[in-house]
Amino acid sequence: MAGHSKWANIKHKKEKTDAQKAKIFTKLGRELMVVARLYGPDPEANPKLRDVIAKAKANNMPMDKIMGFIKKAAGEIDTTGYEDITYEGYGPGGVAVIVEAMTNNRNRTAGEIRHIFDKNGGNLGQTGCVSWMFSRKGVIIIDKESFPDEDFVMEKALEYGAEDFSSENDIYEIITSPEDFSRVREGLERDGFTFIRAQIEMIPQTTVKLSEEDAQKMRRLIDMLEDNDDVKEVYHNWEEE
């Protein structure tokens, strides 16, 4: 399962401009507030909130900003009608694409997502059309430079219940079941580890390669989806170079 070529996409996201980073913070802030409002503002009693906090920290959001969003959830956001929606479709060259969104207007978001697919040589499909090609897993990425003792990192990850561990280029990749993700992440946090990425993802079971032309279209498709205010995550089985 390890080595699913996600790192290229992670690096792509980290190289985004300050304006795009601000948009990511805005999306994460809304997710923090909605989850805190729906399930409670105390992370100790709200495992969903703990997972979103870990996701925000991995995106370099300062802890005081994270706690500020949670406090705002006490009364400054109307969560009425917000729901998580998953869209599935195909990109250029038949690439399988899954889009996870949070919206309070299902019709608006569906129309925008469909337009982005159509504009970039893809098409939005029916629920279930590509999700069978993916496995839902917890993914934790750790920077090798910060924690150079590979054997120690692997020992700790497996000790807390990780399914798989791999060492790739300048990162360690730890895979967990969705059920064990929080336990593994929290155990590693207690041991002082920090993460480049820590969240539950859809991992492709197989990948596809694209021509240069289709690769350019696919990159535009991903960028436009990620720039949409309602989109939280984009997953695909394109094997990026």
Side-chain angles (χ1 to χ4, degrees):
M1 179 62 69
H4 56 84
S5 303
K6 185 71 176 178
W7 181 232
N9 198 31
I10 296 168
K11 286 193 291 187
H12 164 71
K13 289 185 177 181
K14 286 193 166 292
E15 291 165 358
K16 287 192 170 183
T17 65
D18 288 343
Q20 290 168 313
K21 184 176 180 181
K23 175 165 278 194
I24 291 171
F25 277 13
T26 299
K27 291 184 182 185
L28 285 168
R30 182 176 64 181
E31 190 173 357
L32 284 162
M33 288 191 288
V34 171
V35 171
R37 185 75 181 272
L38 292 178
Y39 305 104
D42 180 7
E44 293 300 316
N46 183 349
K48 290 180 180 291
L49 182 57
R50 290 201 301 272
D51 288 345
V52 180
I53 289 172
K55 178 179 175 182
K57 287 168 65 177
N59 279 277
N60 298 317
M61 181 182 284
M63 197 63 199
D64 59 344
K65 187 177 288 288
I66 291 173
M67 296 311 298
F69 280 120
I70 294 172
K71 289 176 182 176
K72 284 182 181 180
E76 293 185 23
I77 181 172
D78 181 7
T79 60
T80 304
Y82 270 99
E83 58 182 325
D84 288 319
I85 301 179
T86 299
Y87 301 95
E88 301 180 35
Y90 298 92
V95 171
V97 183
I98 295 177
V99 181
E100 292 182 350
M102 177 182 285
T103 181
N104 60 354
N105 187 327
R106 180 189 286 256
N107 290 336
R108 179 200 68 220
T109 304
E112 291 175 353
I113 300 301
R114 185 180 301 279
H115 174 71
I116 292 171
F117 271 90
D118 291 344
K119 188 173 182 178
N120 292 283
N123 61 284
L124 198 60
Q126 299 295 318
T127 299
C129 68
V130 301
S131 56
W132 60 273
M133 303 182 202
F134 295 74
S135 299
R136 195 165 187 82
K137 296 289 181 181
V139 178
I140 298 171
I141 305 291
I142 296 175
D143 181 14
K144 273 189 186 179
E145 187 175 344
S146 301
F147 304 94
D149 189 341
E150 179 177 332
D151 289 340
F152 178 73
V153 180
M154 179 173 63
E155 178 183 329
K156 284 297 182 180
L158 297 177
E159 175 185 327
Y160 290 121
E163 286 185 356
D164 201 357
F165 175 93
S166 67
S167 175
E168 301 180 26
N169 300 319
D170 50 356
I171 58 103
Y172 305 117
E173 180 183 71
I174 298 165
I175 303 295
T176 79
S177 68
E179 296 77 19
D180 292 338
F181 169 71
S182 294
R183 184 176 75 244
V184 175
R185 176 183 55 74
E186 290 169 2
L188 292 171
E189 281 182 332
R190 286 194 301 270
D191 287 334
F193 289 97
T194 55
F195 313 125
I196 295 174
R197 192 171 181 87
Q199 61 192 65
I200 294 176
E201 303 183 0
M202 299 295 286
I203 299 178
Q205 298 172 5
T206 59
T207 57
V208 297
K209 294 185 177 182
L210 292 176
S211 66
E212 184 175 345
E213 180 181 355
D214 280 345
Q216 290 177 351
K217 293 179 182 178
M218 187 64 200
R219 173 54 61 207
R220 286 197 299 270
L221 172 63
I222 293 170
D223 284 343
M224 289 185 67
L225 287 171
E226 290 180 345
D227 284 342
N228 184 277
D229 288 341
D230 295 333
V231 172
K232 295 194 298 180
E233 293 291 337
V234 179
Y235 304 112
H236 57 80
N237 70 343
W238 168 34
E239 185 174 327
E240 298 177 77
E241 298 297 335

PDB file of all heavy atoms in Angstrom, residues 53-84:
ATOM      1  N   ILE A  53      -7.743  19.363  13.664  1.00  0.00           N
ATOM      2  CA  ILE A  53      -6.646  20.147  14.239  1.00  0.00           C
ATOM      3  C   ILE A  53      -5.313  19.624  13.723  1.00  0.00           C
ATOM      4  O   ILE A  53      -4.422  20.403  13.338  1.00  0.00           O
ATOM      5  CB  ILE A  53      -6.686  20.095  15.777  1.00  0.00           C
ATOM      6  CG1 ILE A  53      -7.879  20.899  16.304  1.00  0.00           C
ATOM      7  CG2 ILE A  53      -5.382  20.631  16.379  1.00  0.00           C
ATOM      8  CD1 ILE A  53      -8.113  20.761  17.802  1.00  0.00           C
ATOM      9  N   ALA A  54      -5.147  18.297  13.686  1.00  0.00           N
ATOM     10  CA  ALA A  54      -3.901  17.705  13.183  1.00  0.00           C
ATOM     11  C   ALA A  54      -3.691  18.066  11.718  1.00  0.00           C
ATOM     12  O   ALA A  54      -2.570  18.366  11.292  1.00  0.00           O
ATOM     13  CB  ALA A  54      -3.936  16.184  13.363  1.00  0.00           C
ATOM     14  N   LYS A  55      -4.760  18.065  10.950  1.00  0.00           N
ATOM     15  CA  LYS A  55      -4.692  18.439   9.531  1.00  0.00           C
ATOM     16  C   LYS A  55      -4.262  19.900   9.395  1.00  0.00           C
ATOM     17  O   LYS A  55      -3.418  20.237   8.553  1.00  0.00           O
ATOM     18  CB  LYS A  55      -6.063  18.210   8.893  1.00  0.00           C
ATOM     19  CG  LYS A  55      -6.172  18.584   7.430  1.00  0.00           C
ATOM     20  CD  LYS A  55      -7.590  18.280   6.950  1.00  0.00           C
ATOM     21  CE  LYS A  55      -7.838  18.732   5.527  1.00  0.00           C
ATOM     22  NZ  LYS A  55      -9.240  18.458   5.099  1.00  0.00           N
ATOM     23  N   ALA A  56      -4.826  20.774  10.235  1.00  0.00           N
ATOM     24  CA  ALA A  56      -4.479  22.195  10.182  1.00  0.00           C
ATOM     25  C   ALA A  56      -3.022  22.418  10.581  1.00  0.00           C
ATOM     26  O   ALA A  56      -2.305  23.212   9.953  1.00  0.00           O
ATOM     27  CB  ALA A  56      -5.413  22.991  11.094  1.00  0.00           C
ATOM     28  N   LYS A  57      -2.579  21.725  11.614  1.00  0.00           N
ATOM     29  CA  LYS A  57      -1.189  21.870  12.059  1.00  0.00           C
ATOM     30  C   LYS A  57      -0.223  21.403  10.975  1.00  0.00           C
ATOM     31  O   LYS A  57       0.836  22.001  10.761  1.00  0.00           O
ATOM     32  CB  LYS A  57      -0.971  21.083  13.351  1.00  0.00           C
ATOM     33  CG  LYS A  57      -1.608  21.733  14.572  1.00  0.00           C
ATOM     34  CD  LYS A  57      -1.624  20.813  15.773  1.00  0.00           C
ATOM     35  CE  LYS A  57      -0.251  20.482  16.282  1.00  0.00           C
ATOM     36  NZ  LYS A  57      -0.322  19.622  17.502  1.00  0.00           N
ATOM     37  N   ALA A  58      -0.574  20.317  10.281  1.00  0.00           N
ATOM     38  CA  ALA A  58       0.283  19.813   9.212  1.00  0.00           C
ATOM     39  C   ALA A  58       0.364  20.802   8.043  1.00  0.00           C
ATOM     40  O   ALA A  58       1.333  20.791   7.285  1.00  0.00           O
ATOM     41  CB  ALA A  58      -0.230  18.462   8.709  1.00  0.00           C
ATOM     42  N   ASN A  59      -0.649  21.672   7.930  1.00  0.00           N
ATOM     43  CA  ASN A  59      -0.631  22.730   6.911  1.00  0.00           C
ATOM     44  C   ASN A  59      -0.047  24.035   7.450  1.00  0.00           C
ATOM     45  O   ASN A  59      -0.240  25.097   6.863  1.00  0.00           O
ATOM     46  CB  ASN A  59      -2.045  22.964   6.378  1.00  0.00           C
ATOM     47  CG  ASN A  59      -2.448  21.956   5.323  1.00  0.00           C
ATOM     48  OD1 ASN A  59      -2.114  22.119   4.155  1.00  0.00           O
ATOM     49  ND2 ASN A  59      -3.144  20.908   5.716  1.00  0.00           N
ATOM     50  N   ASN A  60       0.652  23.922   8.594  1.00  0.00           N
ATOM     51  CA  ASN A  60       1.375  25.054   9.195  1.00  0.00           C
ATOM     52  C   ASN A  60       0.475  26.167   9.713  1.00  0.00           C
ATOM     53  O   ASN A  60       0.896  27.323   9.803  1.00  0.00           O
ATOM     54  CB  ASN A  60       2.398  25.638   8.193  1.00  0.00           C
ATOM     55  CG  ASN A  60       3.458  24.626   7.812  1.00  0.00           C
ATOM     56  OD1 ASN A  60       3.975  23.904   8.655  1.00  0.00           O
ATOM     57  ND2 ASN A  60       3.784  24.558   6.523  1.00  0.00           N
ATOM     58  N   MET A  61      -0.766  25.843  10.061  1.00  0.00           N
ATOM     59  CA  MET A  61      -1.610  26.840  10.706  1.00  0.00           C
ATOM     60  C   MET A  61      -1.182  26.971  12.165  1.00  0.00           C
ATOM     61  O   MET A  61      -1.104  25.970  12.879  1.00  0.00           O
ATOM     62  CB  MET A  61      -3.095  26.438  10.625  1.00  0.00           C
ATOM     63  CG  MET A  61      -4.020  27.476  11.269  1.00  0.00           C
ATOM     64  SD  MET A  61      -5.782  26.991  11.237  1.00  0.00           S
ATOM     65  CE  MET A  61      -6.191  27.304   9.516  1.00  0.00           C
ATOM     66  N   PRO A  62      -0.894  28.180  12.645  1.00  0.00           N
ATOM     67  CA  PRO A  62      -0.482  28.368  14.044  1.00  0.00           C
ATOM     68  C   PRO A  62      -1.569  27.927  15.015  1.00  0.00           C
ATOM     69  O   PRO A  62      -2.762  28.061  14.735  1.00  0.00           O
ATOM     70  CB  PRO A  62      -0.236  29.879  14.145  1.00  0.00           C
ATOM     71  CG  PRO A  62      -0.019  30.333  12.730  1.00  0.00           C
ATOM     72  CD  PRO A  62      -0.885  29.438  11.889  1.00  0.00           C
ATOM     73  N   MET A  63      -1.144  27.422  16.176  1.00  0.00           N
ATOM     74  CA  MET A  63      -2.098  26.886  17.146  1.00  0.00           C
ATOM     75  C   MET A  63      -3.040  27.975  17.656  1.00  0.00           C
ATOM     76  O   MET A  63      -4.219  27.698  17.903  1.00  0.00           O
ATOM     77  CB  MET A  63      -1.345  26.243  18.314  1.00  0.00           C
ATOM     78  CG  MET A  63      -2.203  25.318  19.148  1.00  0.00           C
ATOM     79  SD  MET A  63      -2.797  23.901  18.173  1.00  0.00           S
ATOM     80  CE  MET A  63      -4.187  23.350  19.177  1.00  0.00           C
ATOM     81  N   ASP A  64      -2.544  29.213  17.808  1.00  0.00           N
ATOM     82  CA  ASP A  64      -3.438  30.259  18.302  1.00  0.00           C
ATOM     83  C   ASP A  64      -4.539  30.569  17.288  1.00  0.00           C
ATOM     84  O   ASP A  64      -5.685  30.857  17.643  1.00  0.00           O
ATOM     85  CB  ASP A  64      -2.657  31.526  18.653  1.00  0.00           C
ATOM     86  CG  ASP A  64      -1.890  32.111  17.472  1.00  0.00           C
ATOM     87  OD1 ASP A  64      -1.713  31.398  16.461  1.00  0.00           O
ATOM     88  OD2 ASP A  64      -1.461  33.274  17.569  1.00  0.00           O
ATOM     89  N   LYS A  65      -4.210  30.443  16.002  1.00  0.00           N
ATOM     90  CA  LYS A  65      -5.229  30.647  14.956  1.00  0.00           C
ATOM     91  C   LYS A  65      -6.234  29.495  14.961  1.00  0.00           C
ATOM     92  O   LYS A  65      -7.442  29.716  14.798  1.00  0.00           O
ATOM     93  CB  LYS A  65      -4.561  30.770  13.582  1.00  0.00           C
ATOM     94  CG  LYS A  65      -5.500  31.157  12.458  1.00  0.00           C
ATOM     95  CD  LYS A  65      -4.773  31.332  11.151  1.00  0.00           C
ATOM     96  CE  LYS A  65      -3.940  32.579  11.114  1.00  0.00           C
ATOM     97  NZ  LYS A  65      -4.789  33.806  11.008  1.00  0.00           N
ATOM     98  N   ILE A  66      -5.733  28.274  15.151  1.00  0.00           N
ATOM     99  CA  ILE A  66      -6.617  27.102  15.238  1.00  0.00           C
ATOM    100  C   ILE A  66      -7.608  27.275  16.381  1.00  0.00           C
ATOM    101  O   ILE A  66      -8.822  27.099  16.215  1.00  0.00           O
ATOM    102  CB  ILE A  66      -5.788  25.816  15.441  1.00  0.00           C
ATOM    103  CG1 ILE A  66      -4.979  25.499  14.170  1.00  0.00           C
ATOM    104  CG2 ILE A  66      -6.695  24.641  15.808  1.00  0.00           C
ATOM    105  CD1 ILE A  66      -3.995  24.352  14.334  1.00  0.00           C
ATOM    106  N   MET A  67      -7.095  27.641  17.575  1.00  0.00           N
ATOM    107  CA  MET A  67      -7.971  27.802  18.735  1.00  0.00           C
ATOM    108  C   MET A  67      -8.920  28.980  18.536  1.00  0.00           C
ATOM    109  O   MET A  67     -10.053  28.956  19.026  1.00  0.00           O
ATOM    110  CB  MET A  67      -7.131  27.997  19.999  1.00  0.00           C
ATOM    111  CG  MET A  67      -6.262  26.793  20.360  1.00  0.00           C
ATOM    112  SD  MET A  67      -7.161  25.210  20.351  1.00  0.00           S
ATOM    113  CE  MET A  67      -8.379  25.503  21.661  1.00  0.00           C
ATOM    114  N   GLY A  68      -8.477  30.001  17.792  1.00  0.00           N
ATOM    115  CA  GLY A  68      -9.357  31.129  17.519  1.00  0.00           C
ATOM    116  C   GLY A  68     -10.573  30.717  16.701  1.00  0.00           C
ATOM    117  O   GLY A  68     -11.694  31.138  16.993  1.00  0.00           O
ATOM    118  N   PHE A  69     -10.357  29.867  15.696  1.00  0.00           N
ATOM    119  CA  PHE A  69     -11.482  29.374  14.894  1.00  0.00           C
ATOM    120  C   PHE A  69     -12.435  28.539  15.756  1.00  0.00           C
ATOM    121  O   PHE A  69     -13.659  28.637  15.609  1.00  0.00           O
ATOM    122  CB  PHE A  69     -10.964  28.529  13.724  1.00  0.00           C
ATOM    123  CG  PHE A  69     -10.470  29.335  12.559  1.00  0.00           C
ATOM    124  CD1 PHE A  69      -9.159  29.227  12.127  1.00  0.00           C
ATOM    125  CD2 PHE A  69     -11.316  30.199  11.881  1.00  0.00           C
ATOM    126  CE1 PHE A  69      -8.693  29.966  11.041  1.00  0.00           C
ATOM    127  CE2 PHE A  69     -10.873  30.941  10.793  1.00  0.00           C
ATOM    128  CZ  PHE A  69      -9.551  30.827  10.376  1.00  0.00           C
ATOM    129  N   ILE A  70     -11.867  27.718  16.626  1.00  0.00           N
ATOM    130  CA  ILE A  70     -12.708  26.863  17.480  1.00  0.00           C
ATOM    131  C   ILE A  70     -13.571  27.725  18.409  1.00  0.00           C
ATOM    132  O   ILE A  70     -14.763  27.461  18.615  1.00  0.00           O
ATOM    133  CB  ILE A  70     -11.841  25.879  18.271  1.00  0.00           C
ATOM    134  CG1 ILE A  70     -11.170  24.884  17.311  1.00  0.00           C
ATOM    135  CG2 ILE A  70     -12.671  25.134  19.321  1.00  0.00           C
ATOM    136  CD1 ILE A  70     -10.137  23.985  17.970  1.00  0.00           C
ATOM    137  N   LYS A  71     -12.969  28.783  18.976  1.00  0.00           N
ATOM    138  CA  LYS A  71     -13.718  29.666  19.874  1.00  0.00           C
ATOM    139  C   LYS A  71     -14.830  30.395  19.117  1.00  0.00           C
ATOM    140  O   LYS A  71     -15.915  30.626  19.659  1.00  0.00           O
ATOM    141  CB  LYS A  71     -12.774  30.669  20.522  1.00  0.00           C
ATOM    142  CG  LYS A  71     -11.845  30.039  21.561  1.00  0.00           C
ATOM    143  CD  LYS A  71     -10.850  31.053  22.110  1.00  0.00           C
ATOM    144  CE  LYS A  71      -9.905  30.398  23.105  1.00  0.00           C
ATOM    145  NZ  LYS A  71      -8.858  31.331  23.600  1.00  0.00           N
ATOM    146  N   LYS A  72     -14.541  30.752  17.872  1.00  0.00           N
ATOM    147  CA  LYS A  72     -15.562  31.431  17.064  1.00  0.00           C
ATOM    148  C   LYS A  72     -16.781  30.541  16.851  1.00  0.00           C
ATOM    149  O   LYS A  72     -17.896  31.031  16.658  1.00  0.00           O
ATOM    150  CB  LYS A  72     -14.983  31.818  15.701  1.00  0.00           C
ATOM    151  CG  LYS A  72     -14.056  33.015  15.726  1.00  0.00           C
ATOM    152  CD  LYS A  72     -13.587  33.342  14.320  1.00  0.00           C
ATOM    153  CE  LYS A  72     -12.635  34.518  14.320  1.00  0.00           C
ATOM    154  NZ  LYS A  72     -12.158  34.846  12.952  1.00  0.00           N
ATOM    155  N   ALA A  73     -16.560  29.239  16.897  1.00  0.00           N
ATOM    156  CA  ALA A  73     -17.655  28.296  16.638  1.00  0.00           C
ATOM    157  C   ALA A  73     -18.755  28.409  17.681  1.00  0.00           C
ATOM    158  O   ALA A  73     -19.867  27.925  17.464  1.00  0.00           O
ATOM    159  CB  ALA A  73     -17.126  26.867  16.596  1.00  0.00           C
ATOM    160  N   ALA A  74     -18.473  29.057  18.817  1.00  0.00           N
ATOM    161  CA  ALA A  74     -19.477  29.186  19.879  1.00  0.00           C
ATOM    162  C   ALA A  74     -20.711  29.948  19.404  1.00  0.00           C
ATOM    163  O   ALA A  74     -21.797  29.738  19.919  1.00  0.00           O
ATOM    164  CB  ALA A  74     -18.863  29.878  21.093  1.00  0.00           C
ATOM    165  N   GLY A  75     -20.559  30.814  18.410  1.00  0.00           N
ATOM    166  CA  GLY A  75     -21.748  31.527  17.971  1.00  0.00           C
ATOM    167  C   GLY A  75     -21.601  32.362  16.726  1.00  0.00           C
ATOM    168  O   GLY A  75     -22.544  33.026  16.323  1.00  0.00           O
ATOM    169  N   GLU A  76     -20.425  32.327  16.118  1.00  0.00           N
ATOM    170  CA  GLU A  76     -20.198  33.224  14.997  1.00  0.00           C
ATOM    171  C   GLU A  76     -20.306  32.554  13.630  1.00  0.00           C
ATOM    172  O   GLU A  76     -19.942  33.136  12.620  1.00  0.00           O
ATOM    173  CB  GLU A  76     -18.821  33.882  15.131  1.00  0.00           C
ATOM    174  CG  GLU A  76     -18.741  34.825  16.320  1.00  0.00           C
ATOM    175  CD  GLU A  76     -17.435  35.565  16.372  1.00  0.00           C
ATOM    176  OE1 GLU A  76     -16.791  35.700  15.306  1.00  0.00           O
ATOM    177  OE2 GLU A  76     -17.045  36.000  17.457  1.00  0.00           O
ATOM    178  N   ILE A  77     -20.779  31.324  13.578  1.00  0.00           N
ATOM    179  CA  ILE A  77     -20.979  30.689  12.277  1.00  0.00           C
ATOM    180  C   ILE A  77     -22.285  29.903  12.307  1.00  0.00           C
ATOM    181  O   ILE A  77     -22.597  29.223  13.290  1.00  0.00           O
ATOM    182  CB  ILE A  77     -19.808  29.753  11.901  1.00  0.00           C
ATOM    183  CG1 ILE A  77     -20.053  29.137  10.519  1.00  0.00           C
ATOM    184  CG2 ILE A  77     -19.585  28.682  12.938  1.00  0.00           C
ATOM    185  CD1 ILE A  77     -18.877  28.356   9.971  1.00  0.00           C
ATOM    186  N   ASP A  78     -23.043  30.045  11.272  1.00  0.00           N
ATOM    187  CA  ASP A  78     -24.288  29.294  11.141  1.00  0.00           C
ATOM    188  C   ASP A  78     -23.988  27.994  10.396  1.00  0.00           C
ATOM    189  O   ASP A  78     -23.688  28.013   9.200  1.00  0.00           O
ATOM    190  CB  ASP A  78     -25.314  30.117  10.370  1.00  0.00           C
ATOM    191  CG  ASP A  78     -26.640  29.396  10.211  1.00  0.00           C
ATOM    192  OD1 ASP A  78     -26.788  28.306  10.814  1.00  0.00           O
ATOM    193  OD2 ASP A  78     -27.504  29.904   9.488  1.00  0.00           O
ATOM    194  N   THR A  79     -24.060  26.868  11.097  1.00  0.00           N
ATOM    195  CA  THR A  79     -23.744  25.581  10.475  1.00  0.00           C
ATOM    196  C   THR A  79     -24.968  24.934   9.840  1.00  0.00           C
ATOM    197  O   THR A  79     -24.884  23.823   9.335  1.00  0.00           O
ATOM    198  CB  THR A  79     -23.147  24.611  11.515  1.00  0.00           C
ATOM    199  OG1 THR A  79     -24.106  24.407  12.570  1.00  0.00           O
ATOM    200  CG2 THR A  79     -21.858  25.164  12.094  1.00  0.00           C
ATOM    201  N   THR A  80     -26.086  25.638   9.857  1.00  0.00           N
ATOM    202  CA  THR A  80     -27.307  25.073   9.291  1.00  0.00           C
ATOM    203  C   THR A  80     -27.108  24.713   7.821  1.00  0.00           C
ATOM    204  O   THR A  80     -26.691  25.542   7.011  1.00  0.00           O
ATOM    205  CB  THR A  80     -28.467  26.080   9.406  1.00  0.00           C
ATOM    206  OG1 THR A  80     -28.622  26.455  10.761  1.00  0.00           O
ATOM    207  CG2 THR A  80     -29.747  25.467   8.876  1.00  0.00           C
ATOM    208  N   GLY A  81     -27.397  23.482   7.490  1.00  0.00           N
ATOM    209  CA  GLY A  81     -27.339  23.069   6.095  1.00  0.00           C
ATOM    210  C   GLY A  81     -25.983  22.632   5.606  1.00  0.00           C
ATOM    211  O   GLY A  81     -25.873  22.137   4.484  1.00  0.00           O
ATOM    212  N   TYR A  82     -24.922  22.818   6.403  1.00  0.00           N
ATOM    213  CA  TYR A  82     -23.604  22.367   5.951  1.00  0.00           C
ATOM    214  C   TYR A  82     -23.559  20.848   5.916  1.00  0.00           C
ATOM    215  O   TYR A  82     -24.025  20.178   6.839  1.00  0.00           O
ATOM    216  CB  TYR A  82     -22.497  22.893   6.871  1.00  0.00           C
ATOM    217  CG  TYR A  82     -21.956  24.227   6.433  1.00  0.00           C
ATOM    218  CD1 TYR A  82     -22.399  25.405   7.031  1.00  0.00           C
ATOM    219  CD2 TYR A  82     -21.017  24.323   5.411  1.00  0.00           C
ATOM    220  CE1 TYR A  82     -21.914  26.640   6.627  1.00  0.00           C
ATOM    221  CE2 TYR A  82     -20.522  25.552   4.999  1.00  0.00           C
ATOM    222  CZ  TYR A  82     -20.970  26.701   5.607  1.00  0.00           C
ATOM    223  OH  TYR A  82     -20.489  27.919   5.201  1.00  0.00           O
ATOM    224  N   GLU A  83     -22.996  20.311   4.870  1.00  0.00           N
ATOM    225  CA  GLU A  83     -22.862  18.868   4.754  1.00  0.00           C
ATOM    226  C   GLU A  83     -21.619  18.520   3.950  1.00  0.00           C
ATOM    227  O   GLU A  83     -21.145  19.302   3.122  1.00  0.00           O
ATOM    228  CB  GLU A  83     -24.097  18.266   4.075  1.00  0.00           C
ATOM    229  CG  GLU A  83     -24.381  18.829   2.690  1.00  0.00           C
ATOM    230  CD  GLU A  83     -25.636  18.245   2.065  1.00  0.00           C
ATOM    231  OE1 GLU A  83     -25.907  17.063   2.295  1.00  0.00           O
ATOM    232  OE2 GLU A  83     -26.333  18.977   1.333  1.00  0.00           O
ATOM    233  N   ASP A  84     -21.085  17.348   4.230  1.00  0.00           N
ATOM    234  CA  ASP A  84     -19.972  16.823   3.456  1.00  0.00           C
ATOM    235  C   ASP A  84     -20.526  16.075   2.250  1.00  0.00           C
ATOM    236  O   ASP A  84     -21.415  15.232   2.397  1.00  0.00           O
ATOM    237  CB  ASP A  84     -19.123  15.869   4.300  1.00  0.00           C
ATOM    238  CG  ASP A  84     -18.311  16.604   5.363  1.00  0.00           C
ATOM    239  OD1 ASP A  84     -17.769  17.679   5.045  1.00  0.00           O
ATOM    240  OD2 ASP A  84     -18.223  16.121   6.503  1.00  0.00           O
TER     241      ASP A  84
END
